[in-house]
Amino acid sequence: MAGAFSRILSARRSVGILSLVGAGSLTAGYLLARERRVGAAANVRRLYPASAEYPDLRKHNNCMASHLTPAVYARLCDKATPNGFTLDQAIQTGVDNPGHPFIKTVGMVAGDEESYEVFADLFDPVIKERHNGYDSRSMTHPTDLDASKIRSGVFDERYVLSSRVRTGRSIRGLSLPPACTRAERREVERVVVDALGGLRGELTGRYYSLTQMTEQEQQQLIDDHFLFDKPVSPLLTCAGMARDWPDARGIWHNNQKTFLIWINEEDHTRVISMEKGGNMKRVFERFCKGLKEVEKLIVEKGWEFMWNEHLGYVLTCPSNLGTGLRAGVHIKLPLMSKDPRFPKILDNLRLQKRGTGGVDTAAVGSTFDISNLDRLGQSEVQLVQTVIDGVNYLIECEKRLEKGQDIRVPPPISQFK
Amino acid sequence: MLTKWRQQTFKYFVVEEEFPELSKHNNHMAKVLTKDMYAKLRDKQTPTGFTVDDVIQTGVDNPGHPFIMTVGCVAGDEESYDVFKDLFDPVISDRHGGYKPSDKHKTDLNFENLKGGDDLDPNYVLSSRVRTGRSIKGYALPPHNSRGERRAVEKLSVEALNSLDGEFKGKYYPLKSMTDAEQEQLIADHFLFDKPVSPLLLAAGMARDWPDARGIWHNENKTFLVWVNEEDHLRVISMQKGGNMKEVFKRFCVGLQRIEEIFKKHNHGFMWNEHLGYILTCPSNLGTGLRGGVHVKLPKLSTHAKFEEILTRLRLQKRGTGGVDTASVGGVFDISNADRIGSSEVDQVQCVVDGVKLMVEMEKKLEKGEAIDSMIPAQK
């Protein structure tokens, strides 16, 4: 039966064929998967018992290493997703990168949507640790992209230099960057660029493929701080995300340069809304509008985003599950930054600070990147409101310090609302 | 619900959609791989599950250099060279001077067949070294092996090496548990290898799980050294100061044969066949996998107009004393055999011995201000 299918399929796409197969299509789907990736289950070669394969994690400090016991490894090492993604592939980045004593990395990635299910015994405790105790078995994640609910999202521009919201989206049915083939990656590009071509009004824009951009275009994108480069971080390269670079990678942005999409970097898509100044409300409005428009356009063509009610939007790294949202500002806080209560205030406001070069950079002068800590268990609206309320509080503190008045450490705000 | 989506969006991608973009590439794989070849090979896999995409990944990710032609493909196991012969055969032919699929490779590790080699002038020849690689039959190669397999190779190798005696008696230093003192000594001896940084190796998956099951073994005299699980299962090195290549080669042959006996007893001999010789990860190292060379002072000869020509005719290549990709320092060069397959170990080391002897004589002539034109050999 498999042979008959391979003959039918040898020269053309099978999407229409599956509808002919009808009731047996579940079987057909798996047979086709087996034809495309010969012996997906065979990828899991088991010459040795699990104990001989178990990685040496004694010097490791990442979430994967904390939760991958020999028992969990033994239970999961024979499994593979329908695409053939295995546990060893999921954890490779964490095995190869023992981690930092101060910063605990995640140490594992998903190769496809099914990874989170097939390897739930490991992903669930990692998700719980990374996302403040969120229990993906029992809890549901709220999704809310109604920007009209935002209150007072316009900041004092004597302090806030710029505002930005980013997230990621994955195209259901196609493997994620650690595992995708060249054809799948190109399909992601095609689907997304096709959809983006349908955006209108302030969202009208164009696509710059990394393989085809001119030197001039490249320079302009660098000047706009839009261009992303081949990953050099071993966290990403060990997870196989830089394979075939720069094939099917690119950047789309609208003409006003306020809405930007990265294609096939660490996720299928990264969606960014940003502008100079303090109008976070408008940035978030554009963010929600753009996301909904893109979703509408891909749904029209028969596609959808990876999403489920427990994990929210499904992305490559477990740290980005839920909203995948980081909303932040570049803000000048010369007096606050010297106050010893600053870290505690940020913590209680559920905010984090980074340098203005992004994660892993130091602050320049006293300008910081301030953004939400949390990703999963609260909606987009809730997280952006948290950032707005927090930044307003920080500005109030800065103003009070300017006048020689004292400031208060606010009580910690509750997490899962 | 996921299953429904898997069916609806699943496609069988045609070759055009999967075929890599190689128009800016300059490596042997890119020169040889056609869409038809890819179409034929894409549904195959070796018994260990290695696919053509796995074979070519390093060549896709590393377009290459305009001047230096890299190989651009690797084997994941012994069977790769057979299952993907449509790709490997032309790559091997391009890399190894027209070596044909029907050609037979000669293996000769009988050190007594080497003529001379014990009289290279130590005023010029500073050190002598012979290295090769060996793969253990029955285990996947570094691009593809699992942790369990890699550890099994280490265990078997250490057992074999620790059973050696006499001049070969030595000790194993696993990378993950060596002391600081041991590490410093190994660095001072120039023995220690580090986690690969070359994107050629990284893109082929050879640094996975580092430093698990990697290590260095050497004898007490520090003249026989084995690297375990770096780019190949084993890299075997015999070396010493001075110009006695004969002694270096003897130790090399004897040591290798003793190790091989022990592996054979465990039913895990070395990967070898009569067409490709010793099977290693990179096609460039097939055949003997042997690089026999010296560090030799040739300040005058190296600036002679015919230096490159002489090397080519002698079937030799030059490198800086830091190894491949380095420049020479103070007129001292690393001179070694250019060939790997189609000639035996004895043949290749003979080339080095005869060629270096001749070049030292040329250097001496040039020192006296005499011409060397009559000494320039015909193409070997």
Side-chain angles (χ1 to χ4, degrees), chain A residues 78-90:
Chain A
D78 288 329
K79 301 191 180 196
T81 68
N83 255 331
F85 195 67
T86 63
L87 179 71
D88 282 337
Q89 286 175 285

Side-chain angles (χ1 to χ4, degrees), chain B residues 321-346:
Chain B
T321 49
V324 71
D325 303 336
T326 66
S328 86
V329 176
V332 180
F333 287 85
D334 176 318
I335 303 288
S336 63
N337 55 297
D339 303 322
R340 300 275 185 273
I341 197 170
S343 51
S344 72
E345 289 79 357
V346 168

Side-chain angles (χ1 to χ4, degrees), chain A residues 122-225:
Chain A
L122 181 57
F123 272 113
D124 286 351
V126 165
I127 288 166
K128 198 169 212 171
E129 177 179 347
R130 182 62 179 216
H131 294 283
N132 314 307
Y134 184 85
D135 184 340
S136 34
R137 292 286 118 194
S138 61
M139 291 161 85
T140 54
H141 168 80
T143 291
D144 185 356
L145 286 162
D146 180 359
S148 70
K149 293 178 184 165
I150 296 296
R151 301 281 156 263
S152 64
V154 183
F155 302 120
D156 188 333
E157 292 192 358
R158 285 173 293 171
Y159 301 91
V160 173
L161 306 174
S162 62
S163 309
R164 181 182 186 269
V165 181
R166 70 86 161 149
T167 188
R169 291 289 186 265
S170 309
I171 309 299
R172 176 161 279 162
L174 296 167
S175 301
L176 296 170
C180 63
T181 66
R182 278 180 295 276
E184 286 184 293
R185 200 186 294 114
R186 291 165 180 171
E187 186 77 342
V188 167
E189 185 188 37
R190 190 192 64 75
V191 169
V192 175
V193 172
D194 197 44
L196 295 170
L199 292 176
R200 295 285 169 260
E202 61 152 352
L203 296 175
T204 310
R206 71 162 272 209
Y207 181 62
Y208 302 85
S209 133
L210 247 58
T211 54
Q212 284 159 19
M213 64 173 61
T214 66
E215 289 214 10
Q216 218 178 335
E217 287 167 343
Q218 186 175 303
Q219 195 51 56
Q220 187 59 58
L221 288 165
I222 291 172
D223 294 339
D224 291 326
H225 305 290

Side-chain angles (χ1 to χ4, degrees), chain B residues 141-152:
Chain B
L141 297 172
H144 191 49
N145 54 12
S146 68
R147 280 179 296 275
E149 286 185 291
R150 203 185 296 112
R151 290 163 178 170

Side-chain angles (χ1 to χ4, degrees), chain A residues 9-15 18 25-26 29-30 32-33 35-36 38-39 42-43 45 47-48 51-56 58-59 73 82-83 88 91-92 95-97 112-114 117 172-175 181-184 186-187 190 211 230 238 242-245 247 302-304 307, chain B residues 1-21 24-25 38 42-45 47-49 51-53 56-57 60-63 138-140 144-153 175-177 195 199 202-203 207-212 268:
Chain A
L9 295 166
S10 60
R12 54 193 169 144
R13 295 174 194 204
S14 63
V15 177
L18 284 164
S25 55
L26 173 58
Y30 281 105
L32 295 170
E35 282 300 325
R36 181 178 75 163
V38 177
N43 282 349
R45 277 184 304 133
L47 303 168
Y48 297 92
S51 56
E53 296 284 5
Y54 183 71
D56 183 347
R58 289 170 295 171
K59 294 196 184 111
Y73 185 80
N83 255 331
D88 282 337
I91 66 173
Q92 191 68 61
V95 175
D96 288 348
N97 297 291
D112 50 26
E113 190 166 10
E114 294 85 346
E117 196 49 51
R172 176 161 279 162
L174 296 167
S175 301
T181 66
R182 278 180 295 276
E184 286 184 293
R186 291 165 180 171
E187 186 77 342
R190 190 192 64 75
T211 54
K230 180 172 180 174
C238 290
R243 286 172 305 127
D244 313 312
W245 202 275
D247 197 311
W303 298 91
E304 44 179 49
W307 180 94
Chain B
M1 188 170 92
L2 281 179
T3 316
K4 166 178 167 275
W5 272 99
R6 177 59 60 187
Q7 293 166 47
Q8 288 192 357
T9 59
F10 179 81
K11 299 169 152 189
Y12 185 77
F13 291 102
V14 297
V15 171
E16 281 69 30
E17 293 168 305
E18 281 292 6
F19 192 74
E21 163 52 51
K24 297 196 183 98
H25 285 57
Y38 184 78
R42 71 189 289 223
D43 290 324
K44 296 190 185 209
Q45 62 177 25
T48 65
T51 65
V52 72
D53 283 331
I56 66 174
Q57 191 67 60
V60 174
D61 288 348
N62 297 292
Y139 298 102
H144 191 49
N145 54 12
S146 68
R147 280 179 296 275
E149 286 185 291
R150 203 185 296 112
R151 290 163 178 170
V153 164
L175 248 55
K176 69 176 172 183
S177 56
K195 180 172 178 176
L202 296 177
R208 287 171 303 126
D209 314 313
W210 202 274
D212 199 308
H268 283 286

Side-chain angles (χ1 to χ4, degrees), chain B residues 108-145:
Chain B
D108 183 359
L109 282 160
N110 189 346
F111 63 89
E112 283 166 358
N113 290 339
L114 183 71
K115 302 199 234 321
D118 54 356
D119 59 352
L120 297 173
D121 190 335
N123 292 316
Y124 293 84
V125 179
L126 306 176
S127 62
S128 309
R129 180 183 186 268
V130 180
R131 70 86 160 151
T132 189
R134 290 291 184 264
S135 308
I136 316 304
K137 212 168 163 61
Y139 298 102
L141 297 172
H144 191 49
N145 54 12

Side-chain angles (χ1 to χ4, degrees), chain B residues 266-285:
Chain B
H266 290 272
N267 292 321
H268 283 286
F270 295 146
M271 289 183 197
W272 179 94
N273 68 50
E274 62 172 2
H275 165 55
L276 295 177
Y278 288 101
I279 306 280
L280 294 177
T281 304
C282 181
S284 68
N285 283 319

